[in-house]
Amino acid sequence: MEEFSIDRLELREGNLVINDTLLLSNSSSVYSSTDPRWTAHQMKIEEWIKNKKIKQETLTALFNLMTNSKNQRIVKEREVYFFNEGSWIDADWGKAYSIHNISSKKPDFSFDNVQEIKTIDDRPNWYEYYAD
């Protein structure tokens, strides 16, 4: 994500949303079924790759990683990566990764109104979070 300057990455109906740009796959010509408030721009994946000067294989690997890990959204805020694992009625939860201790920093994050951050004892630099 550092390489692409990505702050938010989501999978929505088989398409990638990077920050506020919806990347349409070859099979998608129109993206009208998802609420448009989540994206400000739409472009073909090929166009985005050309503009960002990255390799197709790199983006494909990132897409496959998200699909295989069942993470539908990754958000980066204040050098912390939040990996969404589930949601239920306006609440999200998952794991976060940071090289700095963030266990007492929940008020510092605007992402989804973080309510709780707990360390994962057997995994250094990993935390569980709950947001609503």
Side-chain angles (χ1 to χ4, degrees):
M1 285 180 57
E2 294 290 335
E3 180 182 346
F4 308 130
S5 298
I6 296 173
D7 292 323
R8 191 180 84 215
L9 179 64
E10 295 184 56
L11 282 175
R12 289 197 172 263
E13 298 179 10
N15 294 302
L16 279 174
V17 178
I18 296 181
N19 297 331
D20 291 321
T21 301
L22 168 68
L23 301 181
L24 298 167
S25 65
N26 290 335
S27 60
S28 300
S29 59
V30 178
Y31 191 63
S32 59
S33 61
T34 298
D35 192 337
R37 68 186 164 155
W38 296 107
T39 61
H41 311 285
Q42 295 182 10
M43 69 173 50
K44 293 280 189 184
I45 287 177
E46 296 80 12
E47 183 182 355
W48 189 84
I49 288 171
K50 184 178 176 182
N51 291 345
K52 297 293 182 178
K53 298 179 178 149
I54 63 163
K55 295 179 182 176
Q56 170 72 42
E57 297 81 23
T58 304
L59 190 61
T60 300
L62 184 58
F63 181 83
N64 289 339
L65 178 63
M66 288 185 72
T67 303
N68 294 337
S69 67
K70 296 184 173 66
N71 280 302
Q72 299 298 301
R73 179 173 57 169
I74 303 170
V75 174
K76 177 187 168 202
E77 184 179 334
R78 300 180 185 260
E79 299 181 0
V80 178
Y81 292 93
F82 292 90
F83 298 88
N84 178 276
E85 294 181 348
S87 62
W88 186 74
I89 308 177
D90 295 333
D92 294 318
W93 61 88
K95 296 197 175 38
Y97 176 81
S98 174
I99 58 170
H100 307 290
N101 186 336
I102 60 168
S103 56
S104 63
K105 306 266 186 204
K106 69 181 178 188
D108 294 351
F109 298 102
S110 61
F111 155 69
D112 279 359
N113 195 16
V114 174
Q115 297 295 311
E116 184 178 26
I117 298 175
K118 297 188 307 188
T119 60
I120 300 175
D121 293 333
D122 59 341
R123 296 181 71 190
N125 301 329
W126 282 93
Y127 304 84
E128 291 180 326
Y129 78 90
Y130 170 77
D132 67 5

